Amino acid sequence: MDSEAANPAFVSADGENPAPMGAKFRRSIRQTPEGLAALSATSYPVVITDHTRSDNPIVYVNAAFRLLTGYRESEVLGQNCRLLQGVDTDPEAIAELRAAVSVGVGIQREILNYRKNGSPFWNELTIDPIRNEHGALIGYIGLQIECDDTHIANEEKAAAEAALASITDHMPGYIYQRLLRSDGSIEMVYTSPSLRKLLGTDNADQAFNFFEYVHPEDLEGILGAIRKSASEMTIYQDEFRLVSTDAVVHWLRSESIPRLNAGGETVWDGMAIEISAEKRWESEVAALALRDPLTGLLSRGAWRKALAMRLSEERDDPRGCALLYIDLSGFHQINGTVGVHGGDEVLCAIGQRLSDFAASIEGVSARLGGDEFAVMVNTCNSAEALAGLAQSLATAIAIPIQVGERSIAVQAVIGGTLHQGESGAEVAPGELKFQAEQALRGAKSQGPGSYALYAREHDERFSNATLLARSLESAIANGELYLHYQPLVDIATGAIVSAEALVRWNHPTLGAQRPDIFIPLAEKSGSIVQLGRWVFEEALRQRKIWSDSGLTVPPISINVSGGQLGVDLADTFSQCLAEFGGRARDFELELTESLLIEGSPAVMPCLRDLQDLGFAISIDDFGSGHSTFRYLRDFPVDKLKLDQTYIRKLVLESADAQIIRAVIALARGMGIAFVAEGIETEMQRDFLQREGCKIGQGYLFSRPLAADDFRLLLS
């Protein structure tokens, strides 16, 4: 029977009659109902086309095809297979398929097809010709396998390989494999293309000896570090310079773990990252730390070092020395009159007068920040002589300064202090600085153009010092101490990110005492250890109360004094954590940068022990007069808090602004969190936010608060 409709194998699964399949075609491919039933049962999509008819139409699809494409049989029979193609189907793939069909050969190809609902799928298509018993081409049978996962995996692999090639070619540094051979020779067996670009040797055929490009001063250090890493099987870490063919010096930092290959030779697979920008930041910050970029006078830090050297010399020199602190009265009004640039001209002129004055007495002059200056008088034997120098300096500063067409008269207030070496008493630079500042406050109370000298009898620290020292040890037991908490906030959002715990003392007879008075007394008497433990325990206790009440409590920072840093501090804090059920990661330990410079040999081991427990380490008052780059490199500091003097005296485009930018860049380059203290105005906040500072602290956000008030703030 030749009627297609009578053959159940060619009746549509939809119950419809399909497009007629010629009897000749059916007999030629020897199809039987049983054969088509087998094709229908297979899980692979199958399609058969009739080459004997125009446009090679589809004459059969199985159930798997319908399931894959979503088409009903009646919708595809009589159609060309191109109905599965879409806008993103590869034209080259289509052309290859058509070429194979036109010459009657089989082909296997991966192609993007589309379902009835328009969704794409990748299809691994195998097409084979069907011939009759005489060898004549009568049709094609196609086997389809969905391969989305395989295709995506191949695409992702190709993309990953391309990305890796791009990274290794353009990374700021290079990837390498180094080999230490059994004969002791060292060879770079692989370096990524980025190294040749860095050095300017792009020709891959050119003989390449890595060590020829190492800076001569660094070569011995690199080789020594490599051999040490191999002998001890420890991590190789080094910073070194490479010199390119155009004589440009590149700083790099490298780190890699050694391993042994099958031959017993040492191999390092590692990466070297260029840190030239970081080195430039260090150099720029160091330069700013040495000289004030506007006036050319010594910076605060360099001047303090000069003072420390002079005080050290006094042990062998009976002549006294003195300090003069100078503050320009109403300088903000000058800025308002002649503008910031005109104000800078005035500061430069004042700086030159101070430099000339210092040179005339063999002294040292410095700009401490903003409109504050200082002069160290190397030799001064009497208060009368110091008063005469202060008067002469005030007169010199008061001479009018010509700025454009304006004549600007500046008046200063001056505070002085005298230290005479013959007394035999050693004095720290910080003490002499405090005395000069106290005298300056006295001069300000007298008005512009005035000067005042420090007098011990007017120093409130000494009037009550004996009483305070005696009663400090009992203050803890008597409940006279308490903590205030000042938040550190996200400058952009105002969200609280941490809090600093600040100790306060309410003396029963003398009233509230300043921490800058009683903490030095505690350090001197040795009770600082007991006081420090109390502060930590109280912060632990209060944090637990807040947490138990359902509040989300940020990390709390604790100030650590130099007198606490010893072999037992980590054990003490560990015991406190165990007692209160606290976690070290919920606390930060703040220490002034001077402790890193002036501390005992036990400081670094103690800090490492604390960090091993989980405490974050923060450097407070950064930039207040010490050079800590070596310590920032050698010790993994978690946070820097800029000395608030720079923020308090901030004038846009001033030297303080330049220093702030440089320190922010330094912290960012080293991956260290940065905090600006002493933010009191929106101008200061906006400037810091523009420069990339994310965390701030100061009265603009909140004053230090009692525990109950801080709880409300957290709520």
Side-chain angles (χ1 to χ4, degrees):
M1 185 165 98
D2 291 332
S3 172
E4 288 77 28
N7 188 340
F10 290 88
V11 174
S12 167
D14 305 321
E16 302 175 5
N17 288 332
M21 178 185 287
K24 182 179 179 181
F25 177 83
R26 187 170 68 251
R27 288 194 300 270
S28 298
I29 62 174
R30 294 180 173 85
Q31 294 289 352
T32 66
E34 292 79 10
L36 289 177
L39 288 178
S40 179
T42 182
S43 61
Y44 292 107
V46 176
V47 59
I48 298 176
T49 64
D50 185 354
H51 188 66
T52 65
R53 296 168 60 186
S54 173
D55 203 27
N56 202 23
I58 297 172
V59 294
Y60 173 79
V61 293
N62 68 352
F65 177 92
R66 297 194 299 273
L67 180 64
L68 173 65
T69 64
Y71 284 104
R72 294 185 300 170
E73 192 174 40
S74 61
E75 293 173 321
V76 297
L77 294 182
Q79 301 290 326
N80 186 278
C81 288
R82 73 173 68 91
L83 89 160
L84 298 178
Q85 298 167 11
V87 292
D88 290 327
T89 304
D90 186 0
E92 292 185 7
I94 297 172
E96 291 177 10
L97 292 173
R98 288 177 177 171
V101 169
S102 67
V103 296
V105 297
I107 186 172
Q108 187 175 44
R109 190 70 164 83
E110 194 175 273
I111 187 171
L112 181 67
N113 281 341
Y114 288 82
R115 298 179 177 87
K116 179 182 177 181
N117 63 10
S119 62
F121 67 96
W122 281 97
N123 183 16
E124 186 179 307
L125 176 63
T126 301
I127 299 177
D128 288 312
I130 303 173
R131 299 182 184 276
N132 62 16
E133 63 271 20
H134 304 296
L137 179 65
I138 61 172
Y140 287 92
I141 183 169
L143 181 65
Q144 300 179 320
I145 301 176
E146 185 180 6
C147 61
D148 278 338
D149 292 342
T150 303
H151 185 85
I152 292 172
N154 290 337
E155 283 188 333
E156 290 177 347
K157 179 182 177 182
E161 290 174 348
L164 179 60
S166 176
I167 290 171
T168 58
D169 194 42
H170 299 95
M171 65 178 293
Y174 58 91
I175 296 172
Y176 65 85
Q177 185 177 85
R178 183 195 303 117
L179 180 64
L180 175 60
R181 301 191 183 278
S182 55
D183 62 3
S185 62
I186 300 172
E187 181 184 353
M188 300 288 279
V189 295
Y190 170 78
T191 57
S192 60
S194 54
L195 176 60
R196 289 182 176 268
K197 288 191 174 183
L198 180 76
L199 299 176
T201 59
D202 287 340
N203 187 355
D205 297 328
Q206 176 182 341
F208 180 74
N209 183 349
F210 170 83
F211 295 102
E212 290 181 358
Y213 297 91
V214 176
H215 194 287
E217 295 178 2
D218 298 341
L219 181 58
E220 184 177 345
I222 287 181
L223 297 177
I226 292 172
R227 292 194 169 93
K228 182 176 185 293
S229 173
S231 65
E232 300 176 358
M233 291 304 287
T234 54
I235 296 176
Y236 165 83
Q237 293 176 311
D238 200 7
E239 292 181 3
F240 55 90
R241 290 165 289 179
L242 296 181
V243 184
S244 63
T245 55
D246 56 358
V248 175
V249 176
H250 299 271
W251 272 98
L252 293 114
R253 179 183 294 125
S254 178
E255 182 173 303
S256 54
I257 300 174
R259 60 181 173 86
L260 296 178
N261 63 15
E265 299 171 318
T266 308
V267 181
W268 294 263
D269 300 304
M271 177 185 298
I273 298 297
E274 183 163 12
I275 57 170
S276 299
E278 180 181 320
K279 291 296 182 180
R280 285 194 297 272
W281 290 334
E282 288 187 9
S283 177
E284 291 171 4
V285 173
L288 287 171
L290 182 63
R291 287 280 177 186
D292 173 57
L294 178 64
T295 63
L297 301 179
L298 287 184
S299 67
R300 176 190 296 268
W303 177 78
R304 181 162 178 163
K305 287 183 178 180
L307 175 60
M309 291 175 59
R310 177 65 185 93
L311 293 176
S312 176
E313 293 170 356
E314 274 196 349
R315 298 170 186 171
D316 303 316
D317 185 350
R319 297 175 299 171
C321 70
L323 296 187
L324 292 173
Y325 264 38
I326 303 100
D327 186 272
L328 305 183
S329 300
F331 185 74
H332 62 282
Q333 296 175 352
I334 295 175
N335 274 333
T337 302
V338 297
V340 173
H341 294 297
D344 286 348
E345 289 185 41
V346 172
L347 291 175
C348 288
I350 297 297
Q352 185 60 53
R353 293 177 184 179
L354 289 171
S355 179
D356 294 342
F357 174 80
S360 69
I361 59 172
E362 298 183 351
V364 179
S365 56
R367 184 186 181 200
L368 303 182
D371 57 358
E372 290 186 354
F373 299 85
V375 174
M376 179 177 68
V377 185
N378 277 334
T379 303
C380 188
N381 292 320
S382 68
E384 291 76 11
L386 182 58
L389 292 175
Q391 180 62 63
S392 298
L393 182 56
T395 301
I397 291 175
I399 299 173
I401 300 169
Q402 197 69 27
V403 179
E405 297 180 355
R406 293 179 178 271
S407 180
I408 305 296
V410 181
Q411 286 189 304
V413 288
I414 300 175
T417 185
L418 175 68
H419 177 66
Q420 294 179 297
E422 67 267 21
S423 65
E426 295 184 10
V427 62
E431 172 61 24
L432 219 55
K433 170 180 173 290
F434 181 86
Q435 293 177 8
E437 289 175 337
Q438 192 173 79
L440 183 63
R441 286 194 293 270
K444 287 181 178 180
S445 66
Q446 300 174 29
S450 303
Y451 68 88
L453 302 185
Y454 171 79
R456 184 183 177 93
E457 58 269 21
H458 297 147
D459 192 334
E460 62 182 18
R461 296 177 302 166
F462 297 103
S463 59
N464 299 321
T466 303
L467 175 60
L468 290 176
R470 283 198 306 265
S471 57
L472 184 57
E473 293 185 5
S474 61
I476 298 175
N478 295 337
E480 298 167 14
L481 297 177
Y482 54 95
L483 293 182
H484 276 181
Y485 300 86
Q486 186 174 26
L488 282 71
V489 305
D490 183 312
I491 290 180
T493 66
I496 299 175
V497 297
S498 63
E500 181 178 3
L502 301 166
V503 63
R504 297 292 186 259
W505 182 14
N506 187 21
H507 193 279
T509 57
L510 299 176
Q513 298 300 305
R514 287 168 37 193
D516 60 339
I517 293 178
F518 69 79
I519 289 179
L521 289 175
E523 291 177 327
K524 187 175 182 180
S525 66
S527 58
I528 189 65
V529 174
Q530 181 186 7
L531 175 61
R533 177 165 186 154
W534 178 88
V535 169
F536 185 49
E537 288 180 341
E538 176 63 15
L540 274 165
R541 186 190 67 81
Q542 186 61 64
R543 194 180 197 284
K544 188 174 188 304
I545 292 174
W546 287 331
S547 182
D548 289 347
S549 68
L551 293 175
T552 300
V553 188
I556 296 177
S557 60
I558 306 295
N559 289 283
V560 176
S561 168
Q564 296 174 256
L565 293 175
V567 293
D568 298 329
L569 183 60
D571 291 338
T572 298
F573 279 10
S574 181
Q575 293 169 8
C576 294
L577 290 170
E579 180 181 349
F580 286 89
R583 303 177 302 181
R585 66 174 180 266
D586 293 328
F587 293 89
E588 299 174 356
L589 304 181
E590 287 191 20
L591 55 150
T592 60
E593 62 174 340
S594 61
L595 293 181
L596 294 179
I597 306 298
E598 300 167 356
S600 69
V603 167
M604 284 303 175
C606 176
L607 293 179
R608 288 192 177 93
D609 289 343
L610 290 167
Q611 205 165 47
D612 288 342
L613 287 175
F615 289 103
I617 303 298
S618 175
I619 304 300
D620 198 9
D621 298 332
F622 184 79
S624 61
H626 294 273
S627 177
T628 56
F629 297 121
R630 179 166 62 88
Y631 294 93
L632 292 180
R633 181 193 65 194
D634 296 342
F635 183 76
V637 170
D638 300 291
K639 182 182 292 184
L640 294 181
K641 297 183 73 174
L642 182 66
D643 182 26
Q644 60 181 307
T645 303
Y646 295 108
I647 307 301
R648 190 170 62 247
K649 293 293 184 179
L650 173 63
V651 176
L652 298 183
E653 305 307 324
S654 67
D656 295 294
Q658 295 180 47
I659 293 174
I660 293 170
R661 289 191 185 102
V663 177
I664 291 175
L666 171 66
R668 184 188 301 120
M670 299 188 73
I672 300 173
F674 177 83
V675 177
E677 296 183 285
I679 302 175
E680 297 182 355
T681 68
E682 293 183 356
M683 181 276 288
Q684 294 167 344
R685 178 200 60 196
D686 295 343
F687 169 82
L688 291 163
Q689 187 174 2
R690 286 196 304 271
E691 297 301 324
C693 176
K694 298 183 182 302
I695 303 174
Q697 181 180 11
Y699 284 4
L700 179 65
F701 308 113
S702 173
R703 293 176 177 270
L705 301 173
D708 289 342
D709 294 331
F710 191 76
R711 182 189 187 283
L712 294 176
L713 196 64
L714 289 178
S715 300

